[in-house]
Amino acid sequence: MSDTPSNKPESVVAPELFSRIVELDSVPPTGRNLVFEADEAQKAALAVRFRVDQIHFLKVTGLLKPWRKAGYKLTAQFEAEVLQTCVVTLEPFTQALKGTFTETFLPEAVLEKTSVEIELDAEGIDPPEGFGPERRLDVGQYAAEYFGLKLAPYPRAPGVEFADVIEDSDEKAAENGSNDVGSRPNPFAVLKKLQSDDD
């Protein structure tokens, strides 16, 4: 079972951003080990898509193996390092990310004929995705989507709290000989502005 929320990520990543195609007929009965990394162009494209300053690296390792009679199961993990801007200090900081995920796949024809949600719930995994008669999977697309879920929408640098900004503002005000509360920057206004920019 993955350590991500039970709901699957929406399909928000264009396949070409981090495409890693696996031909299912090339997967042996014991499974196929997968190891791949984002290249420079993919890192730049994913950084734009997920609104981070920079992706230093994104590496995926996993195992794709046959599952049940006609399906496949992908168990994978990713490691990444990204540069983001702290919403409190507005300063860039580097953050390491890790995550695991599991996806199952069945032929679309099988999914159309049967319902497997109840059986899968007992196994603690999500309902399967479908694959077409071309029998190919883009495992990179799934890795990118789960990577996106790990990114904080309003990131804060480690150890930074809103109180730090308030205290810092108080010290500066004292140095300037001013105790006017109205002159202090409101850290919550930073978040409000960022939310408005996203809209």
Side-chain angles (χ1 to χ4, degrees):
M1 184 175 179
S2 72
D3 63 1
T4 56
S6 59
N7 292 332
K8 291 189 177 184
E10 297 179 3
S11 184
V12 295
V13 181
E16 61 270 17
L17 292 186
F18 192 36
S19 183
R20 286 296 186 281
I21 301 295
V22 176
E23 301 288 344
L24 293 178
D25 290 335
S26 71
V27 178
T30 55
R32 178 175 170 183
N33 290 310
L34 306 171
V35 180
F36 56 95
E37 295 187 50
D39 60 27
E40 293 302 320
Q42 291 169 335
K43 289 186 291 184
L46 289 171
V48 172
R49 171 63 190 88
F50 292 117
R51 299 182 182 182
V52 298
D53 298 337
Q54 187 177 359
I55 297 175
H56 295 310
F57 73 86
L58 171 58
K59 180 178 180 180
V60 182
T61 58
L63 176 66
L64 181 64
K65 64 181 180 180
W67 177 73
R68 298 197 170 182
K69 291 183 178 181
Y72 293 85
K73 182 176 182 179
L74 172 65
T75 303
Q77 62 182 12
F78 65 85
E79 295 181 77
E81 186 177 90
V82 300
L83 182 69
Q84 293 178 282
T85 298
C86 177
V87 298
V88 179
T89 65
L90 301 183
E91 295 291 332
F93 70 100
T94 299
Q95 182 177 20
L97 298 174
K98 290 184 179 180
T100 63
F101 62 94
T102 298
E103 289 282 350
T104 53
F105 307 89
L106 285 173
E108 292 175 352
V110 173
L111 291 178
E112 292 173 358
K113 293 180 181 179
T114 61
S115 177
V116 295
E117 284 84 353
I118 296 178
E119 297 177 39
L120 289 173
D121 183 66
E123 296 182 16
I125 56 179
D126 293 319
E129 298 283 341
F131 58 85
E134 70 281 1
R135 296 181 58 78
R136 307 171 81 212
L137 285 179
D138 190 346
V139 296
Q141 182 180 4
Y142 289 95
E145 290 171 352
Y146 280 97
F147 161 73
L149 285 178
K150 275 288 185 178
L151 292 167
Y154 303 107
R156 287 186 296 184
V160 172
E161 302 292 342
F162 286 114
D164 298 333
V165 176
I166 296 174
E167 292 172 2
D168 185 57
S169 298
D170 289 344
E171 291 175 2
K172 290 182 178 178
E175 291 174 0
N176 295 330
S178 172
N179 292 318
D180 183 5
V181 175
S183 66
R184 301 172 187 166
N186 185 348
F188 294 98
V190 176
L191 272 178
K192 186 175 181 181
K193 183 179 185 302
L194 286 170
Q195 289 172 328
S196 299
D197 291 343
D198 286 345
D199 296 337

